[in-house]
Amino acid sequence: GQQLNQSPQSMFIQEGEDVSMNCTSSSIFNTWLWYKQEPGEGPVLLIALYKAGELTSNGRLTAQFGITRKDSFLNISASIPSDVGIYFCAGQGNNNDMRFGAGTRLTVKP
Amino acid sequence: DSGVTQTPKHLITATGQRVTLRCSPRSGDLSVYWYQQSLDQGLQFLIQYYNGEERAKGNILERFSAQQFPDLHSELNLSSLELGDSALYFCASSVWGSNTGELFFGEGSRLTVL
């Protein structure tokens, strides 16, 4: 099946720092999405990207759909303590299933 | 609150047993997805249904089965349970079954197999 490689696995940063994480795939996706999961909850959508090259922002979050359609990145600027959680990339291809990366666990130190 | 309801929230059972997890999608959503999340792991796609029909299949074991009923709720059946089946099982729903992107996740059912 389609494999998503997400990196880094974990990040420990200081409040106020910027964060960058990315996802690559061996297959082409039609849609890239970024989700955040907080403890005890299901993932919640942060940003959805539908076109190759698309750059989309949601507050302090910015994500891009790679030109090759095989990668995407998520940046978080000026991190705050409530950014803590696990960030997942997800890709949806022609067969309609939604595949998730292994997640990036973000810890923000005040 | 995502609007997706999963029951039970917690379940403890023994190896060899069978359990059923239930999911009610958001009102109006036709598509239901099931995912397995083991401790500190990512989300493993199991299976997707759209309006009662199986739409896509992931790494779902033969011991596991699912269905979506006419009222659009879905059930995931796990049988001959093994210790390694202990995990969080998430259900998610979306409006359509095609490439529309956003999934709305329930809070998950935590299964512990002893």
Side-chain angles (χ1 to χ4, degrees), chain B residues 13-18 80-84 113-114:
Chain B
T13 188
T15 55
Q17 295 298 305
R18 171 191 169 94
S80 303
L81 285 168
E82 302 175 358
L83 296 177
V113 182
L114 301 176

Side-chain angles (χ1 to χ4, degrees), chain A residues 69-84:
Chain A
R69 294 167 62 194
K70 291 184 178 182
D71 64 306
S72 176
F73 72 74
L74 174 70
N75 289 338
I76 305 173
S77 62
S79 59
I80 58 178
S82 62
D83 289 334
V84 165

